[in-house]
Amino acid sequence: MNATQPSRPPLQPIQKRRVIPRPKRHLRQRSYQVMALESTAKIAVNLVITAVAASALSQLLPYQWSQQEKLREISTEVKLMEAHVNGLQVKFSRNFDPQQTKSIMQEQGYRFDPNQRRVVLMNPDRREDEQTKSSP
């Protein structure tokens, strides 16, 4: 068991490749330049987007103002029409009210009940003016 073992050929040391160190200063300068270029591009794109947004707002604001004015006009017309419709509804309900038919017939036909006397109101000042004009 203590036999001689075959000798191995002597191992040759592996030659390490010589690593040429990269100049780190150059890489840092390039990375700074790339970062500066990227930041400049971002700022330029943001400025373009801002300009487009401002242009769109400047075109949309007058349109929005005119629409607001039209809306105000329409709302005032709606209020007027609502008042008019309410008045018409009151008249309509009055015209079809069975208790009011007699008075409505008298108003529209100038007919009166036989047991009702006709009253004519006159302005007393007018009467005096007429009497003074008729008597010379």
Side-chain angles (χ1 to χ4, degrees), residues 28-107:
R28 284 185 188 158
Q29 284 179 350
R30 281 191 182 176
S31 67
Y32 291 147
Q33 288 174 350
V34 169
M35 286 174 51
L37 184 64
E38 184 180 334
S39 297
T40 305
K42 286 180 182 178
I43 290 172
V45 167
N46 285 335
L47 287 175
V48 168
I49 291 173
T50 303
V52 168
S55 171
L57 272 177
S58 68
Q59 290 177 358
L60 286 177
L61 281 177
Y63 177 74
Q64 195 260 350
W65 291 333
S66 68
Q67 293 299 316
Q68 288 289 333
E69 185 62 33
K70 286 180 184 178
L71 183 64
R72 279 190 217 103
E73 289 175 9
I74 289 172
S75 65
T76 54
E77 287 181 19
V78 164
K79 287 179 184 176
L80 291 173
M81 284 299 124
E82 282 178 348
H84 184 67
V85 165
N86 289 338
L88 290 176
Q89 283 179 341
V90 167
K91 282 184 182 178
F92 182 80
S93 63
R94 182 176 177 261
N95 285 340
F96 285 96
D97 186 11
Q99 296 172 350
Q100 300 279 335
T101 53
K102 201 173 204 180
S103 63
I104 292 171
M105 285 174 30
Q106 287 178 358
E107 288 174 11

Side-chain angles (χ1 to χ4, degrees), residues 1 8-9 17 28 31 40 43 55 67 98 102 107 109-110 114 117 119 122-125 136:
M1 299 210 138
R8 290 187 184 166
R17 290 187 185 172
R28 284 185 188 158
S31 67
T40 305
I43 290 172
S55 171
Q67 293 299 316
K102 201 173 204 180
E107 288 174 11
Y110 301 106
R117 291 196 177 174
V119 176
M122 296 182 68
N123 191 353
D125 295 334

